[in-house]
Amino acid sequence: MSTKVLVQSILPIKVKIDRDIIVENYFEYLDSIVERYDSLVSYKLTEHLLVRTNSWIIDTLKNTDYYRKKALDSFVFSQKKMIVLPKGASIVIPDSITTKEMLDSFQKTRIDINIPEFKLRIYEDSLKLYDFPVRVGRNEKKYLKMSDRVEDLKTKTGKGFIINYERKPRYVNPVNNLEYLTTRRDDNKITKLPQIPFIETKINGLRNGQMIHPTTNPITLGKAYSNGCIGTKEADAWVIYYHAPIGTKIRIRYDLEILDKKGGKKYLKNIYKK
């Protein structure tokens, strides 16, 4: 009998965390678990499978959101130094049955963004799992040093897929192509920038740099404010990331007519009207 079959028969396995893991070292630690146990299970173990099996990790990551901590009268200067995997906690390696269910769920998951509604929704088949406020691109054209040309900043519509991640993104101002390490929050306090993945989309067959990523200024949500990317709350960005493995379907639309909560027609402001 092979090692894979022997290990699979006693799954799920619990991995005890032997030290406090901070955000800065979080991805390396998860990668080490995936690498260690991938050869011992009968399926391809991934970060997304691991974290979705251990949903408490997502809850902990959500609670590193600056504004969530502020609501608890706690000031966080550097999110990267916060503990997200405490010593003594356990991470479960999923069994093959749980894995199959999650992979089926991943296949049925899609992201839907309606630009003038400033909404990002996550669906599994027809079931809506989440509904998040977002900000979108401004209705203007501007020279960006990053691309060295004048760009239309409106968020592009179309259908496509999640194509890549930046798990440790650099924050670069596309206008002047300068990297920045700190941010001024809505409460006018300065903090370090958080480490939260940026999600890259491929829309209508094009990788145009249109990302889904957190904003450190949620006051801008519900507005046409960005340089084309879709901005979210810090907490929401973690949820989206772990519901969007590579290949997840995405649709970005511009629908001005929607249904209200009572099923009646509602007409949105045409934010990209010329």
Side-chain angles (χ1 to χ4, degrees):
M1 187 177 289
S2 69
T3 303
K4 276 183 175 288
V5 175
L6 282 171
V7 173
Q8 185 181 358
S9 68
I10 61 172
L11 287 177
I13 301 170
K14 287 188 176 182
V15 180
K16 192 169 184 179
I17 301 170
D18 60 359
R19 62 188 184 280
D20 288 335
I21 305 299
I22 59 176
V23 173
E24 192 170 36
N25 302 324
Y26 167 74
F27 288 116
E28 288 84 356
Y29 184 77
L30 282 190
D31 289 346
S32 71
I33 294 178
V34 170
E35 182 179 358
R36 177 182 175 187
Y37 288 94
D38 180 56
S39 62
L40 301 180
V41 295
S42 59
Y43 55 87
K44 180 174 176 55
L45 182 61
T46 66
E47 173 197 344
H48 281 68
L49 284 172
L50 194 63
V51 174
R52 287 288 294 277
T53 301
N54 298 271
S55 59
W56 66 268
I57 296 177
I58 300 178
D59 292 336
T60 303
L61 290 165
K62 287 165 59 179
N63 286 329
T64 66
D65 186 311
Y66 173 85
Y67 296 94
R68 286 193 172 199
K69 300 302 289 184
K70 179 186 174 184
L72 298 173
D73 294 323
S74 178
F75 173 75
V76 176
F77 177 67
S78 178
Q79 173 254 19
K80 293 181 182 180
K81 303 303 180 183
M82 296 180 69
I83 295 172
V84 286
L85 301 177
K87 180 179 179 180
S90 293
I91 295 177
V92 175
I93 309 297
D95 59 44
S96 55
I97 295 175
T98 300
T99 297
K100 184 180 184 305
E101 291 173 349
M102 280 193 291
L103 290 175
D104 288 344
S105 174
F106 290 164
Q107 288 292 320
K108 296 173 183 176
T109 299
R110 59 186 173 89
I111 295 174
D112 177 84
I113 298 168
N114 189 17
I115 293 170
E117 194 180 3
F118 304 105
K119 288 289 186 180
L120 182 153
R121 297 177 175 91
I122 302 176
Y123 290 91
E124 185 175 327
D125 280 338
S126 60
L127 177 64
K128 183 174 70 176
L129 303 179
Y130 296 98
D131 184 328
F132 296 130
V134 298
R135 72 181 190 185
V136 297
R138 297 194 294 276
N139 184 23
E140 64 178 88
K141 293 182 179 180
K142 190 172 186 176
Y143 172 78
L144 302 181
K145 190 172 182 180
M146 180 178 286
S147 61
D148 194 26
R149 64 186 181 188
V150 174
E151 298 281 4
D152 186 341
L153 302 184
K154 294 193 292 290
T155 297
K156 312 297 187 296
T157 61
K159 295 180 179 180
F161 304 90
I162 301 304
I163 194 69
N164 197 18
Y165 312 121
E166 291 291 341
R167 297 194 302 177
K168 291 188 173 183
R170 294 172 60 242
Y171 288 79
V172 178
N173 186 337
V175 176
N176 55 25
N177 208 27
L178 295 178
E179 182 178 6
Y180 50 103
L181 303 175
T182 60
T183 181
R184 185 177 296 277
R185 299 285 185 164
D186 290 345
D187 59 7
N188 214 34
K189 289 184 169 60
I190 302 295
T191 72
K192 293 279 191 177
L193 282 157
Q195 180 180 295
I196 304 173
F198 284 23
I199 304 170
E200 184 183 354
T201 64
K202 185 176 183 180
I203 302 297
N204 298 334
L206 298 175
R207 297 177 71 165
N208 53 23
Q210 195 160 272
M211 313 284 277
I212 302 171
H213 66 77
T215 172
T216 57
N217 300 105
I219 196 172
T220 63
L221 298 176
K223 299 177 182 178
Y225 192 87
S226 77
N227 292 305
C229 291
I230 296 99
T232 73
K233 292 180 181 178
E234 292 175 26
D236 297 346
W238 285 111
V239 177
I240 297 165
Y241 173 65
Y242 281 117
H243 282 77
I246 300 297
T248 299
K249 294 178 182 178
I250 179 170
R251 178 176 66 155
I252 304 176
R253 54 193 172 93
Y254 194 93
D255 290 345
L256 293 171
E257 182 182 307
I258 63 171
L259 298 178
D260 60 25
K261 293 180 180 179
K262 296 182 179 179
K265 291 183 179 180
K266 178 181 178 180
Y267 296 92
L268 303 170
K269 181 180 178 181
N270 190 354
I271 60 172
Y272 287 167
K273 185 178 180 179
K274 293 181 181 180

